[in-house]
Amino acid sequence: MITVKYFARLRERLGSQEQLAFEPGLTLGGLRDHLIQRGGAYAQALDRAQFLRCARNQQMAEEDQALSDGDEVAFFPPVTGG
């Protein structure tokens, strides 16, 4: 199982977090694609046309990183200060 957390506008559309079972070898990018395939709010919020950041176990990560059991994944849009 992995924990997927959503931040900023993603949290507003998808909720704060969820637990998911995953296939061995799944990458962050593969997870994003899997979530997009759910359709609806997931397809809109995580659409590939939008630039999103992701983290694995509270470290910024690229989408080609493989996931492991117990990982925490976070998706969030770029943030600017004001």
Side-chain angles (χ1 to χ4, degrees):
M1 295 292 284
I2 57 173
T3 301
V4 182
K5 293 186 174 187
Y6 305 102
F7 292 93
R9 64 179 160 76
L10 301 177
R11 175 183 233 153
E12 295 169 10
R13 293 182 178 179
L14 306 175
S16 63
Q17 71 179 31
E18 60 183 304
Q19 297 281 321
L20 295 175
F22 71 101
E23 295 291 323
L26 184 68
T27 63
L28 285 167
L31 172 62
R32 183 176 177 182
D33 291 336
H34 170 76
L35 294 169
I36 289 169
Q37 289 175 3
R38 287 181 170 178
Y42 286 91
Q44 292 175 346
L46 301 171
D47 183 78
R48 287 284 178 187
Q50 299 183 58
F51 179 73
L52 297 177
R53 305 283 304 190
C54 53
R56 178 176 168 245
N57 300 324
Q58 301 181 4
Q59 298 289 319
M60 298 306 298
E62 298 297 324
E63 287 195 7
D64 62 350
Q65 282 195 16
L67 298 173
S68 298
D69 190 40
D71 278 353
E72 176 187 277
V73 174
F75 289 105
F76 50 95
V79 180
T80 59

